[in-house]
Amino acid sequence: MPRVGGAVLVLTGAYVTYYGAWGLRVLAGTEATDSVVDAAARIQQVLATSVASLGPDGWLLFLALLALVTAWFVRRRRQPAA
């Protein structure tokens, strides 16, 4: 799992660096559109719409299910092997 976390961290850092360089290009007036930034904006919009459509009751249900699944995995790991 640490390798997956590290990979996510590297990818996120690369995107933030790319986005910062794009922002500097926009401020310099050389470029206003970028396919990578546009794709990230579309993904962000889809995620924001999904989160908003779930509503408070949906989030409560989701978190309750997540807590149950987590508790089940923790309990299963603690049981001695037969």
Side-chain angles (χ1 to χ4, degrees):
M1 195 56 129
R3 289 184 184 188
V4 172
V8 169
L9 188 61
V10 167
L11 289 174
T12 303
Y15 175 73
V16 169
T17 302
Y18 185 87
Y19 188 83
W22 173 78
L24 292 174
R25 290 193 310 266
V26 168
L27 289 175
T30 59
E31 191 174 332
T33 61
D34 186 275
S35 61
V36 174
V37 174
D38 291 343
R42 283 192 300 274
I43 291 169
Q44 180 183 7
Q45 183 62 43
V46 167
L47 291 174
T49 303
S50 300
V51 166
S53 69
L54 205 55
D57 293 338
W59 278 106
L60 186 61
L61 179 63
F62 173 75
L63 292 174
L65 288 172
L66 183 63
L68 286 172
V69 168
T70 302
W72 180 76
F73 273 111
V74 168
R75 188 171 187 199
R76 194 173 132 208
R77 284 190 81 186
R78 289 187 181 172
Q79 289 178 349

